[in-house]
Amino acid sequence: MKKENKRSRRSLAWALVPISLVIGILLWTALVNLGGLPAFILPPPALVWGRFQQALADGSLVRHVWVTLQEVVLGLFLGVLAASALGYLLAKSRRLERALAPYVVASQSVPIVAIAPLLVIWFGPGLFSKVLISALIVFFPVLINTVVGLHSVPHDLRDLMRSLRAGRWQTFRLLELPSSMPVFLGGLRIGATLSVIGAVVGEFVGADRGLGFLINVGRGEYDTALVFVAVFTLIAMALALYGLVVWLETRLLWWQHKPRETNLVGD
Amino acid sequence: MNFYRNEMKQTLLEVQKLSATFTDHAGSLRVLDKLSFEVMKGDFLCVLGPSGSGKSTLLRILAGLVRSNSGTVTIKQRALHGPQPGIGLVFQDANLMPWRTVLENIALPLEVRNHTNGTLTRAKRLVELVGLQGFEHALPHDLSGGMAQRVAIARALVQDPDVLLMDEPFGSLDAITRERMGEELLRIWEMDHKTVILVTHDISEAIYLADRVLVLSARPASLKLDLKIQLPRPRRPSVRYTREFGKLAARLRAAIEAENHL
Ligand SMILES: Nc1ncnc2c1ncn2[C@@H]1O[C@H](COP(=O)(O)OP(=O)(O)OP(=O)(O)O)[C@@H](O)[C@H]1O
Ligand SMILES: [Mg+2]
């Protein structure tokens, strides 16, 4: 009974997505027509769609998407790798945590937009500086969630592993990794969307390719439809990445998803 | 089976002048004060004492998780330094890994020890021992408190330890489940008379289960009373309503209450 209710509610929610999209596009068209806005301020959906097909046909969109995608994936990968490794060390050592805390916090309070030009000056306008900027912006939330996740491992389970004389690696593999996974993946969710922002910021500052570059070009040429195409592509990219993490969550945290209903009662 | 219970026994565990003090920035707290006792092989020992007296600390020292400041613990004539393979631990909460099934939780100690042969068979045997057939592949979330605690007991027994340490193992269960788990524990214990040290707040539970009950004094804990429980075994739940049982309960209550007034 309960389950059926839930399922029908979920299918309703999915039906709402195309409906709201259609309504959005209609409103957008109405705004352009009624407001008499010129295309370089707000291009009508049809124009954006045409521009999209054109960019697709001449291969430019795919080329720029590929560049940005590389930056995003590499940045995310590097950022997560560095953050989880450092996070593990920080969680293991109170002293290290205390010593590095000021740097970690300071690194977070510097706006990424402000240091992006520096990184482009230092590392050139190519792929590497974008990867670095993306990795930097990913770093903090993943680091924090790694530390919090490891601190949230129940003490009694740690004692159990200790009483079984489990080694460092065994404790990590059998206890710390699965136990901190929910919190860690929460950080990865945030990191995944931020990685796209990082890459685009980098491209804004200095690049000759990528979706951020495409936005700059569109703006310069009053080709607003092209800007829209690039923005929508970025949104799609961020959504896809986010979806990937959510999928990973359902795969890795199956043991958590199932008992949600009993949790309401049991806790 | 229990004809020679009192004659043939050998000492399994010996605690001598054990003292423990916790020190932190707020100062130091003396928890155990020259505590001495010994446990015979096959004994079921229960430990009672006022709250905060140091019962958990004692068990944690015996498990090798906490260091004492002075005194010695010997198990099978060997001095204890840190966690030992021959010890099974049961905590107040079942303390299971929620991402592991019942069977996997029970097999954990074998997995840590890198046993490869017969792990599954052994874990399955313990599932049967604690009466959880059919729940091998259930997750801890889907178990009741009593069932989860059975898994915890099976996990502690899976590596056939010399001694089973239990810290208020039924403390978070309701009264009825608690009594049933006590009977269950005795049933398991009757099979191989493993040495058990069980901490509890429940006087009646202590008498029902134990061969011997130790009462600790208020902190810092020293030995207040060492009482033999000579009720016949195997024990039936009805033993709780006998005169002998009542007398023992009264003695223990008097010893504990004298401490609580201090
Ligand atoms: N790691 C620790 N550091 C500092 N103090 C501690 C530590 N562990 C326990 N204590 C203190 O030692 C005292 C004894 O604690 P313990 O848990 O052994 O008592 P207990 O007899 O098990 O109590 P309860 O019946 O409530 O479970 C308590 O006052 C507790 O606050
Ligand atoms: Mg305790």
Side-chain angles (χ1 to χ4, degrees):
Chain A
M1 180 77 187
K2 231 183 194 173
K3 243 176 207 160
E4 255 168 44
N5 254 336
K6 213 172 189 182
R7 192 170 301 158
S8 63
R9 216 179 300 157
R10 193 172 297 163
S11 58
L12 184 70
W14 278 113
L16 281 176
V17 173
I19 294 173
S20 81
L21 276 179
V22 168
I23 292 177
I25 289 173
L26 286 178
L27 281 177
W28 178 4
T29 313
L31 190 65
V32 173
N33 289 340
L34 297 177
L37 295 172
F40 70 86
I41 299 286
L42 185 64
L47 188 65
V48 174
W49 177 244
R51 192 70 186 83
F52 170 71
Q53 284 177 315
Q54 188 194 334
L56 205 59
D58 67 17
S60 62
L61 187 61
V62 174
R63 210 169 55 239
H64 292 296
V65 164
W66 175 237
V67 170
T68 304
L69 197 61
Q70 271 178 302
E71 296 163 357
V72 165
V73 169
L74 285 175
L76 185 60
F77 178 74
L78 270 185
V80 168
L81 199 70
S84 47
L86 185 65
Y88 180 80
L89 293 178
L90 290 187
K92 285 278 139 172
S93 160
R94 264 281 128 82
R95 248 180 251 161
L96 195 65
E97 191 182 351
R98 213 160 281 160
L100 292 187
Y103 294 100
V104 172
V105 175
S107 81
Q108 188 49 21
S109 45
V110 177
I112 200 82
V113 185
I115 53 168
L118 265 183
L119 294 173
V120 173
I121 291 171
W122 290 341
F123 300 103
L127 178 73
F128 186 63
S129 57
K130 317 299 182 301
V131 170
L132 211 59
I133 293 165
S134 176
L136 270 179
I137 204 170
V138 165
F139 184 77
F140 194 71
V142 177
L143 177 81
I144 294 301
N145 280 47
T146 305
V147 174
V148 171
L150 286 168
H151 280 324
S152 74
V153 176
H155 277 287
D156 277 355
L157 279 176
R158 282 196 184 281
D159 279 347
L160 176 75
M161 291 306 276
R162 220 147 59 80
S163 82
L164 295 173
R165 304 201 296 176
R168 218 168 238 277
W169 167 244
Q170 281 178 319
T171 307
F172 176 72
R173 184 172 61 87
L174 297 172
L175 174 61
E176 291 169 338
L177 188 67
S179 180
S180 62
M181 195 47 77
V183 181
F184 174 79
L185 287 178
L188 191 61
R189 241 188 223 225
I190 302 169
T193 35
L194 285 181
S195 68
V196 178
I197 295 178
V200 172
V201 165
E203 288 171 352
F204 274 165
V205 171
D208 54 6
R209 63 201 75 177
L211 288 169
F213 167 76
L214 205 61
I215 289 175
N216 261 344
V217 169
R219 192 196 56 188
E221 296 173 353
Y222 287 94
D223 188 352
T224 312
L226 182 63
V227 176
F228 270 78
V229 169
V231 168
F232 281 134
T233 312
L234 281 171
I235 291 175
M237 197 184 278
L239 278 181
L241 225 49
Y242 188 84
L244 206 65
V245 178
V246 171
W247 173 79
L248 208 63
E249 280 183 356
T250 57
R251 290 309 300 269
L252 293 177
L253 305 181
W254 52 274
W255 52 273
Q256 242 199 353
H257 279 258
K258 205 172 133 203
R260 192 149 285 173
E261 287 175 355
T262 48
N263 263 352
L264 276 178
V265 186
D267 287 346
Chain B
M1 185 173 166
N2 13 359
F3 279 102
Y4 302 107
R5 291 210 39 192
N6 292 323
E7 286 80 0
M8 306 268 295
K9 282 192 174 169
Q10 51 191 123
T11 307
L12 180 91
L13 185 148
E14 205 171 351
V15 173
Q16 269 176 342
K17 295 192 176 156
L18 193 67
S19 298
T21 305
F22 287 116
T23 314
D24 56 15
H25 53 270
S28 66
L29 186 71
R30 198 167 171 75
V31 177
L32 299 180
D33 186 30
K34 294 196 186 129
L35 190 63
S36 300
F37 62 91
E38 52 187 46
V39 185
M40 300 296 157
K41 187 168 185 322
D43 253 5
F44 200 128
L45 186 80
C46 282
V47 180
L48 285 170
S51 191
S53 59
K55 304 181 294 296
S56 297
T57 305
L58 173 63
L59 275 203
R60 289 168 59 80
I61 291 174
L62 297 183
L65 294 172
V66 172
R67 258 169 217 243
S68 59
N69 297 78
S70 64
T72 54
V73 177
T74 35
I75 297 179
K76 284 179 146 181
Q77 271 110 45
R78 283 177 48 197
L80 180 88
H81 301 288
Q84 278 217 341
I87 287 173
L89 251 184
V90 179
F91 301 74
Q92 176 167 352
D93 297 306
N95 197 21
L96 303 176
M97 293 183 170
W99 55 88
R100 287 183 154 239
T101 64
V102 165
L103 203 61
E104 288 167 342
N105 265 292
I106 294 175
L108 178 80
L110 301 176
E111 198 176 331
V112 170
R113 193 107 339 126
N114 283 325
H115 273 251
T116 38
N117 297 337
T119 296
L120 207 63
T121 338
R122 173 113 188 103
K124 279 199 174 129
R125 191 147 9 105
L126 274 136
V127 168
E128 274 167 41
L129 182 73
V130 297
L132 282 177
Q133 299 93 317
F135 290 93
E136 289 89 344
H137 303 294
L139 286 174
H141 296 285
D142 302 327
L143 303 178
S144 68
M147 286 159 88
Q149 205 50 270
R150 281 167 204 251
V151 177
I153 292 171
R155 178 180 62 190
L157 288 173
V158 76
Q159 36 175 353
D160 198 19
D162 298 318
V163 51
L164 192 58
L165 303 177
M166 308 178 93
D167 192 356
E168 301 189 40
F170 312 134
S172 57
L173 305 176
D174 62 272
I176 295 191
T177 313
R178 186 181 183 130
E179 284 195 6
R180 197 157 335 123
M181 286 300 294
E183 287 153 30
E184 185 72 14
L185 181 60
L186 274 195
R187 180 184 66 75
I188 295 167
W189 182 79
E190 290 289 351
M191 293 191 199
D192 61 354
H193 284 237
K194 196 161 287 298
T195 314
V196 179
I197 303 180
L198 184 148
V199 167
T200 175
H201 271 125
D202 188 328
I203 292 176
S204 142
E205 181 175 87
I207 302 170
Y208 180 65
L209 296 173
D211 294 311
R212 234 172 101 205
V213 178
L214 301 186
V215 178
L216 301 189
S217 68
R219 195 177 58 229
S222 56
L223 198 58
K224 173 82 196 257
L225 178 67
D226 182 343
L227 188 65
K228 270 210 157 56
I229 309 292
Q230 276 161 332
L231 299 171
R233 288 192 191 269
R235 291 183 190 157
R236 306 262 167 261
S238 57
V239 74
R240 291 175 196 267
Y241 310 107
T242 60
R243 248 172 64 88
E244 182 64 16
F245 197 95
K247 268 199 221 159
L248 291 165
R251 273 196 75 182
L252 288 172
R253 182 169 299 279
I256 291 169
E257 269 168 11
E259 280 312 311
N260 277 340
H261 283 291
L262 285 180

